[in-house]
Each structure stands twice: as C-alpha cells, then as structure tokens.
Amino acid sequence: MKPNRRTFLHYSASLLALSPLTLADAVASHTKKIGSAAGKPYVVFVTGDHEYSGELTLPLIAAELEKNYGMRTKVLKASPDQNSEKNLPGLEALKEADLAVFFLRWRQLPKEQLQYIDEYLKSGKPVMGFRTTTHAFNFPEGDEQKRWNAFGEFAFGSPPGWGGKAQHTHYGHKSTTDVTIIPEAAKHPILTGVDPSFHASSWLYRVLPDYPAKGSTWLLMGKSVNPDKAAIDNPVAWTWKNEWGGKTFFTTLGHPEDFQVESFQRLVVNAIHWELGMPVPKRWKGKVAINVPYRGIVKS
C-alpha cells in the first residue's frame, strides 16, 4: 500500500500549486484517464427509422456485446416512437462514445441535437451505419440544416440521400437479395466466419455508379432476386475513411429478417470490433436470438 500512498501524496501535492479552476480540471482529467483505462469500449446506438425496427433489432445486438464481448452500450431511440422525426433524446452520450452506430431515416432533428453528432464526427472517431442511414435526414429547402441531408455521403461514403443526382433507389418491396463475399476482400477481418454467400430479405439498394465513395473497400456484393425493374449488382457492405479520419463501416442491409441470419450477425459483431481497433473474435459465441418481424411504415 505504501507505494500507492506515496504516489497519491505526490500527485495531490502537485495539484496544490494549481489555481482552483485548474485543480478541478486536472482532477477531472486524471479521473477520466483512470476510468478510460479501466473501462470497457463504449458503443452508442442511435436509432430512428420508420420502417425497419432498428430500435428493436439493435438493442439485441447491444445486449450480445455486453454479455459476450466485454463492451458497454447505450441505445438511443426517437421519442415518443419511431415516427418522431424531430426528437432523439440522449445524444449527449456521444461525448463519451468510442463508436457511434446509426440506423436513421428521414429525421429533422433540432440544431442542439445535431450538434452532438457533428462534434462526434469531427472527433475522428469511428462510425457505423445501416440501410436507411443513406437518407438519415430530410430537411426541406431553405432550412439551415439542409446540409445534413447528405449525412450518408460525408459520414459513410454512401449516396447523399434518396433519389437525386445519384439515383439512389431500390428494386422493389417484393424483391430480396443474394449476397456474396467479394473475392478480393475475402481475407478482411470483418468477413471472418461469414459464409461466402447468404440470402438477405432486404431489397437491394442501388448505390452505383458513383458510390461507394472513392477510396472505399467493398466487402459484399448483392444481386437482386425478383426485381421490379432492370437491376445491376451493387455492393451492400464497405469500409471507408471519412474526411475527419474516422473509420467507417456501412451496410445497405438491415431488414429485421436480415438480423436473423447468422452470417449477418457475425458481420455486424466483427465490424464493431474492427471499428474499435480490437481483434475480431476468433471464437464466435453463437447465433443470437433475434426474431423481430418486419413492421413496415405504420402511423403512430
């Protein structure tokens, strides 16, 4: 105990020479470092989509991370329900997050809530996104926050919102997607244990020809099954580095039935580890029970 006591006394004495304000700042900084060193990675999930029940599927992923992978998590939800486009409380949690995971669709959050996302992005920390996060925001013409409509582009290298010049669209609600590993990416850590091919319920998103952004690494390719129009194969998962240096992982999959597929579950858990700079688990803890039905868009 003596060496610890001497260290504490030495540290305390050095603080006495500081002004009261500096003293408080120094103690807070020292405490934060101790907590960070002793703590677990903190993953914050930001959900708010009308259609795909991200507020129900992602908490089950969060619970798995806490139970089997030594992480702390927090799940934020639109309030009072998934259809609330203008309120997503709790975003201040991003100040302490090591990874932010987004599943959003056409939000119009107030400036003070957007500020937390803006500060997180500019910190250069990693970000992860699912499906409709390509069109996470939908501010009208003339709104000072309209730049956020391109959130998918500047955060993840996806098309900048739905439709538009990029012609971002999908191949029909009655279609599904055959997914295959892109051979050149087969050895990427995120693909550890992922089957060479699997089937997803998500209807394929068109992101080509201009996206994913230049410099991205494509991991998975999707082929539309029973499309409602002429279809081309499109990447459905990729990594990238955004302008602030943040590592990104994005997938255009995310239908609730996709989360029942073990390969998709493993893809997500692997990607979270990779984003955090942690080794991808060599031993898979097993399939997670995720049985969330497809809700579609319903009125509150």
Side-chain angles (χ1 to χ4, degrees), residues 5 18 33 48 66 73 86 107 129 141 149-150 158 187 216 256 266:
R5 184 171 182 272
L18 301 174
K33 288 179 180 179
E66 294 206 354
T73 66
K86 299 184 178 182
R107 305 290 103 173
E141 287 293 336
N149 292 0
S158 79
K187 294 184 179 180
S216 59
R266 190 151 194 187

Side-chain angles (χ1 to χ4, degrees), residues 11 16 33 38 52 83 114 119 148 154 185 193 213 220 246-247:
Y11 179 73
L16 291 176
K33 288 179 180 179
Y52 296 104
N83 289 331
L114 289 172
E119 290 173 357
W148 283 94
F154 58 73
L220 297 173
K247 292 167 64 177

Side-chain angles (χ1 to χ4, degrees), residues 182-248:
I182 296 172
E184 294 80 4
K187 294 184 179 180
H188 196 289
I190 290 178
L191 298 175
T192 302
V194 175
D195 289 337
S197 62
F198 61 92
H199 191 70
S201 294
S202 288
W203 29 95
L204 181 64
Y205 273 7
R206 174 172 175 160
V207 297
L208 293 175
D210 298 323
Y211 299 89
K214 185 177 181 181
S216 59
T217 298
W218 301 4
L219 302 178
L220 297 173
M221 186 65 71
K223 181 179 182 64
S224 184
V225 178
N226 192 34
D228 66 353
K229 60 180 75 69
I232 59 173
D233 293 355
N234 275 264
V236 297
W238 62 85
T239 64
W240 187 57
K241 182 175 287 188
N242 62 38
E243 64 181 283
W244 302 282
K247 292 167 64 177
T248 76

Side-chain angles (χ1 to χ4, degrees), residues 139-158:
F139 289 97
E141 287 293 336
D143 194 294
E144 64 175 334
Q145 308 303 331
K146 189 175 183 295
R147 72 177 184 89
W148 283 94
N149 292 0
F151 176 67
E153 181 180 43
F154 58 73
F156 299 103
S158 79

Side-chain angles (χ1 to χ4, degrees), residues 105-122:
R105 180 183 186 272
W106 282 350
R107 305 290 103 173
Q108 295 183 17
L109 299 183
K111 185 175 182 180
E112 59 270 20
Q113 292 188 0
L114 289 172
Q115 185 64 29
Y116 292 117
I117 299 176
D118 190 55
E119 290 173 357
Y120 182 87
L121 286 175
K122 291 176 179 177

